[in-house]
Structure formats: structure tokens, C-alpha cells
Amino acid sequence: MKNRFRYLLSIVVVIIIIALIALFAGANFFTEWAWFNHLGYLKAFLLMFFSNFGLRILIGLIFAVFVFVNLFFTKKLFIKYFEAESIESENVETLFKEESQGFLNWLNKKKLNWIYILISLILGFLFSSVSSELWKIVLKFFNQTPFGNTDPIFGKDISFYVFSLPFYSFIKEMGMVLIVLTIIVVGIIYFIASGISSFSDVKVKLSNRAKSHITVLLSAFLLLKAWDYRLAMYELLYSPRGVAFGASYTDVNANLLGLRILFIIAIAVAAGLLVSLFRKNYKLLAWGLGIWIVTSLVFGAVYPGFVQRFQVEPNEIEREREYISHNINMTLEAYDLNDLTSKSFQPQDGLTLEDLEENDEIISNIRLWDSRPLLSTYSQLQGLRQYYEFQNIDVDRYIIDGKYRQVMLSGRELNKDLLSGQAQTWINRKLKYTHGYGVAMSPVNRINEQGLPEFFIKDIPPKIEGDLVLDDSSIYYGEITDDYVIVNTDATEFHYPQGDQNVYINYSGTGGVEISSFIKKAVYALRYSELKILLNDGINNDSRIMYYRNIKERVRKVAPFLAYDSDPYLVISQGRLFWIQDAYTTSDRYPYSQPFSNTGNYIRNSVKVVIDAYNGDMDFYVIDKQDPIAQTYQKIFPEIFIDGDQMPESLRSHIRYPKDLFKIQSELYSIYHMENPQVFYNKEDLWNIPNENYAGSTIKMEPYYILSSLPDTKLQNLEYLLMMPFTPANKNNMIAWMAGRSDGENYGELVLYEFPKDTLVYGPSQIESRIDQDSQISQLLSLWGQRGSRVIRGNLIVLPVAQSILYIEPIYLQAETSELPELKRVVLGYGGDIVIDINLEGALEQIFGEREPKEVTSPEVQMGEIMPEDISGLISRAYEIYQEAQNYIKSGDWQNYGSKLDELQQVLEELNSMNEEIDQSMNQ
């Protein structure tokens, strides 16, 4: 009775566990369904879910059925084995005979079929989850779009390698695994059932049925192996063995030949195995297997090694020239560098004040604020409350009062973790504090008298300078909105602080999923394991629950098959806030193309995602209509993607060349600008990304945005550019600069300007060194550092202006006890001149105007008045006087000792006067 009770209790526990798992899984599925349905992407969700789930079931069934059919063939022999064992056990003890006969009767009742089914289902289940990416591979295979260009070895369209080859490879791998596993399982059964105790017994004891079964399976494996050899021929185009990525001379002339021979041999041996079923002659088969093994060794290692050693290495450049060209051309195509326009840039030294006045729009948009120290400044000046946080600083451009202006801006998001301890309640976190509010925006070049930014948009409620319009600045969806909130409840939401009071509102948008019934509340309570969702009286039929609010997570939820830029940026459009997220189509299957880090070896910025910061709506705009991968995704998910031409102009004017893509292209082009195979092989003209000094550390230069006009365009054609200088390998002078264009019909174009190789153009690190070597500047920075302040040297901007190059580096000062960096100096370099001034205008006037270069050590203090060497000299003089006074004490000359004290007092008073003057200047 007790055993029966335990048995029933176990069944009940198992049922409860299964029910709970099903309940939580069902709640998760429903909330996912509701979220996609709310956004209008339900078809995409169902396609992704059922293609993934359905393919797993299909693979599991195929595995299970195949294994079961093969196991079924062993059933007869397996039962005969136990019958024979039962007969042999007649002279054994009665108990054993009874157990043996009972087990045989159990098998004869067709229980063996159920055992086989169970084994098959378990193996099928295990292999049903082999790949989470399979659904993408299958959908792309059946919806593929031709690239329109072919590989140079086999002449196949690139779509074969990007879409078809991964699919074929997966089928081949699964087939080989399935057959090998089946051979192992049935082989074990046959060995046991045939009474084989050693390999010498196989030929004698293994039945014809077993031999035939295993022979058929081996033949199927060899046919798949032949297919493997065939696919491996195409895989040679991804070979890393040569001097450049892709099939090399040895791969094409030795490895490819070997794979073709092995392909034929594998088919022949498979055919020989099938013939042996009828002829019962295995000699030919043995010869075939021997030839296959020997050929694999010869053409897999020996012959390719011989060709590489004795044909390629003595004449490497001649042998590899053709294949290096393939690598160069295919890499440039894969990274969209083949259409880059290269031009010469002849720098001129005759830049005048008149030239600068003609280029006033460029000069007035030179970025003096570095986003890194500016983030701290924004937090200190515009955070306003402890719970507001600026995540990062974005750089963009706007037309303000009729002028094209480059600005820096950041959204004021709400970080609920920064609320006071007593405010950390569920109601506050989920119902009350639901959104951030407002933005801070400042021009890139304007500073006030304290060295702080001037603002176009500031404070709460927003105070706006110029004709910018911002009607609604609530941020429900942002970069740090990582949790769910429930809006439009009976409890009004905190909107923003106003003096000693707070302003409260009710959400009036369409964001979030309606939770208008008890069942929906219960489902979300289950999903988030939070009973308060079900019990709270303030959640009504009009309430909405917002989840997946982090914009980076949000876009990946809808389109997990895209890659995304690391820096989404905030945009003001039509009086509202939107996020723009750059998205990429990528692949690691582009033939001959050089892989880059974790990106793969093909990339396009084909999609721009626009996210409404208030409602959370997402629009995926396809802006590169020529990208075959984007076209394929459009076929698969037509409801997700929108033609880029439909993007509103107010948003289109803010799209920009993405930094992550530009970094990749810059790194690769520093090598692949060498299109001559001979030059590429010898790396004769290798370029580097230059280094710069930031806050006392040497770092690799980052691409930066500028508002400028290209050298060969009209001055009035001011456009938004992303720029990167290049230096020669192991040299610090500048050899070229590249720009990505962001405006209008020129969007996405790359332009390279190369300097003459016989002309010295200072590179960023050389300018940094010249700044360090300038005695006046270095003394100033040292003096600041000695006075308990942190000196931050910002981005070095290399700026082309009217066939000349300007170098601009801002200098920030931050007190050790403060997190408020102040812009105190601007260093300007031109030609052989390096000057420093309190602002850019003063520095320009020093070089190009009539002013004499002025020497300064601290804010508003001329170095001609107080020189660091003067201070150092006074300190040395004070020490000398002190030593002399000590000598007079030893000799007992008190009169001269008194005179030295008076002299020392004068020196100390002079030092104290200098110190007070410097303090006053530093605080201005």
C-alpha cells in the first residue's frame, strides 16, 4: 500500500511540475505574442517561432524515424539471440531459467518495439536542438537573392556561398552524424546478438543480414563523404593558408585536385560496397578502401606540402599574384570599398585670414568639446536631480536659425537605481517613476567665461534657444530603460520636478500592451513573478505595460538576424524625440574576403531603425536597396522592412555614416589600398590608424564628425562628414585622410585624399609631440597638474580647410574634488606654428591675424607676467637664502642672519602674491 501511495504521489508531483513548466512557458509565449502583435510584427514573430520550433521537430522526427527503422532491422536477430540464450540456460538453476524465459516473453509481446521507439525519440530529441541558427539558414536559402557577381575560381554567383553553401553543409553534417550514430548503435546490437567476442569473429559469426545492413549504411556514409569532398572544394575559397585569405596557388593546384580525386574514389568505394552485397567478394572493396586511405594521406598532406615547398616558396609572388588579386578585389567588394573615390590633396601653406572668413561656417563648427569630459559636465550642470542620468553624448547637426550647426546632445534618462532608499518601492519603480525627461543640447564650439558649454536646450522644463521645437520630451524608451513599467494607471506618473513641487501626468500614447482584463494581468504577474500586478487596484482597463524598453534590446528582439551599431543616437524631429539605430547585414561566407574580428567578411549598413522615444514604435528603413542580403530579409519579413524613400525628411536629414562601419573600413583600407599584388605582398605601403594623447594616455584615434566642405567642392556645400587620418606604417607623418559622407544624395559615399609622398604633412602624434615639446605649453600643463588639478587633453581634430590642414586640440581642467571639467585652452597648429589661447578665435588671430603670439600659463595670466621659471627661480632663491642664514647661525653672525630673514620674507611675499594672482585667474 505504501509503495502504491508513493507511486501515485510521484505521478502527481511530475504532473504538477509539467503543469508549472507549461504554465510559465505559456505565459512567456502569450506575452511575446502580445508584444509583437501590438507593434504590428505578429507575422514575423510567428514565422521566427514556428520556423525555429518546426525545424527542430522536423530534425528530431527525421533522426527518430531513421534510427527506429534501422533498429527495427535488428529486432529479429536480437530476439533469436535471447532464444538461444534461453535454450543454453536449461541446465542452469531454475530461478535463472525463469527470469530468462520471462524476459523473452516480455520481448515477444512487442515491448522491444517500444524500447526502440523510446531510444529513437531520445536521440531525436537530443539532436533537435543542434543549432539555434538553422531557421535563419533555411529561410535565407529558400528566399535568396543573387549578388550579380561571381567567384573567380568556380564562377558561381556569390549567393551560392552566402545562402546555399551553409544550408548544404548543415544537411551534410547532420546526415553524416545521423549515419555514424546509427552504425554505432546497430553495430553494438549486432555484435552482442551475434556473440562476437573479438574482431576475428566478425567474418564468421556476423550474419548476412547484419553484414548487408551495415554495408548499406557504410555506402550511404561514403556517398555523404563524397558530397563532403565536393563542398570542401568550395570551402577552399576561405582558406587561411596562403599569403592572403582565400584559395592560394597550392589550394587550387594541389588541394582542389586531391578533393576531386577523393570525390571520385568515395563514390567508387560506395558503389563497390553495394556491389559486394550481391557478389560476396570483398577483395575489390578492400582495395578501394586502401586506395581511399592512401589518396587521403597523399593529397591531404604530402602533395600539397610538396607543391608549397618546391613550387610556391621559391617563386611565391609569381605563383600567388593571381590569388592575391582575388583577395584584394573580393575584400574591397565585400566591405563596400570598391566604389571609394581616391583623389590627391596638395597641401598649401598660404592660408590667410580672408580664407578663414570665407570658410566661416566651417570654423564656427569646429568641435571643441570632447564627448568624454562633456558627459561629466552635462551630468553636473543638467542632471538637476540625483535620479537623472545622461548615458552618452551624441554628435549631430541641425539647421538652427537658418544656419547649419553641429551640436552635441544627450537624453536625460531616469535611473531608478539612483532613487533614495525609502523610495525604492514597487509602486515607485513600476508605476510612478516611468520615464526620463528632456535633453541637453550645446553647440560644439561655444564656451562661456567659466569654460563651460553654452546650451541651445537646457533645464526642466526645456529652455530653448533659436527656432528648435520640442513639444514632447518624455523618454519612455531609451538606453538605460531596462525594466518594465505600467502606465496610465489610477496613480499618476512623475513627469518632472518643478521647484519644490513635482509635475505629474497620465500617459496618453500608444506604447505598451493593454492589460485590460484579469487574465492578462494574471499572465503578466506569472511572467514577472510579481503578484502585485494582479492585486494592485490602480491598474485599470486602460493601463498599459511597457517591456523591452531598452532600445538596443528592443530592435534585436524584432530583427535578431541583423547586427547593430554600438551607438544609437537621439534625434529631435517634428517636436518629438526619436532614436536612430544603425543596423548591418553581415556574412562570413563571402569568398576570398578578409575576415574582420567578429564581424565576418561582408558588411553593409543597409537598414536604419527609428525608435519613437515616447511610444516605442519601430520603423526599419532599408536605405541600401542593392544589398542582396537586405533584399532576402525583405522577402522573408515584408511586414518589418520599409522602403528607405518613405523615411520623413525631418529624420532623413539626421542619418549619418555610422562609426562602427567606418572603423572597420578604415582598418581594412589601411592595408587594402595597396591594389597592386606586388606591393600588397611586400606590404610596401602599409598605413596605420594614428595615435593621439587623451588625458595623459596614448590611444588609437577614433573617427570623428565634422561639418566641412570637401576640398574639390564649393565652399557653400557644407556637409556632414565622418573623418579619419592615416599615417604610414612605422612613421608618424600623415599620408592620407578618408571621409564618409552623410548628407543628401551623397550619403554613404567614401572619399580618400592622399598627400604627395614627397611632402611632409604632420600627423596627429607629431602634433601631440610638438605640443609636449613646446616649453610654454608644457610648463603651463605641468603647473596646472602640480596645483591639484587634472589636465585633460581632448580629441585632436585634423581639419582640412581650403587646401590646408589645421590641427585643433582642446585642453580641459578638472579639479581633483570636482567632476566638472572646464575648457580652459585651445591649442591650434598650422604649418610650423603651434599656439595656445583661451579660445579658438584668439588662437586663429595669433597665427593668421596681426596679434603677436601670447604666452600664457594659467587662465587670464600672461606668461610674460608670471613665468613658471620665475616661480622656480624664486623657490631656488629662497632655499639659497635659507642655507646662507643657517651658515650665519653656525658662525654666530646674528646681524647678517637677520638681514637674510628680511630677504627671505621678501621672496616669500613675492611668491605668495604670484600664488594669489594665479588663484584668482583660475577661478575666473
Side-chain angles (χ1 to χ4, degrees), residues 775-791 813 816 825 856-859 861-863 866-872 875 911 914-915 917-919 921-922:
S775 60
Q776 298 172 358
I777 297 176
S778 62
Q779 288 167 359
L780 166 62
L781 302 185
S782 297
L783 177 63
W784 276 344
Q786 292 169 3
R787 294 183 55 80
S789 297
R790 181 187 179 209
V791 177
L813 198 61
E816 288 183 352
R825 286 291 181 272
V856 288
T857 60
S858 61
V861 181
Q862 297 288 337
M863 287 191 70
I866 300 177
M867 296 288 288
E869 50 262 41
D870 292 340
I871 298 173
S872 177
I875 293 172
L911 278 171
M914 287 184 178
N915 184 58
E917 188 174 355
I918 290 171
D919 281 340
S921 307
M922 297 263 295

Side-chain angles (χ1 to χ4, degrees), residues 98-150:
E98 291 177 356
E99 290 179 352
S100 177
Q101 187 63 42
F103 180 69
L104 183 62
N105 292 336
W106 184 76
L107 287 178
N108 284 334
K109 292 178 182 178
K110 299 185 179 181
K111 293 289 180 67
L112 187 59
N113 286 344
W114 290 107
I115 294 174
Y116 281 173
I117 289 172
L118 181 62
I119 293 172
S120 303
L121 289 175
I122 290 173
L123 292 175
F125 174 77
L126 292 175
F127 282 90
S128 66
S129 57
V130 289
S131 176
S132 61
E133 300 294 308
L134 178 59
W135 68 274
K136 301 177 188 177
I137 294 173
V138 172
L139 290 178
K140 287 191 288 185
F141 172 76
F142 286 107
N143 295 275
Q144 60 184 274
T145 304
F147 274 67
N149 54 331
T150 59

Side-chain angles (χ1 to χ4, degrees), residues 628-644:
I629 298 181
Q631 293 177 30
T632 297
Y633 285 138
Q634 282 183 284
K635 293 177 186 177
I636 300 170
F637 303 107
E639 67 280 1
I640 290 181
F641 296 101
I642 304 172
D643 192 310

Side-chain angles (χ1 to χ4, degrees), residues 551-566:
I551 57 172
K552 294 182 179 181
E553 179 186 21
R554 195 172 181 82
V555 295
R556 285 169 173 81
K557 195 70 182 176
V558 173
F561 42 83
L562 298 176
Y564 294 92
D565 195 86
S566 60

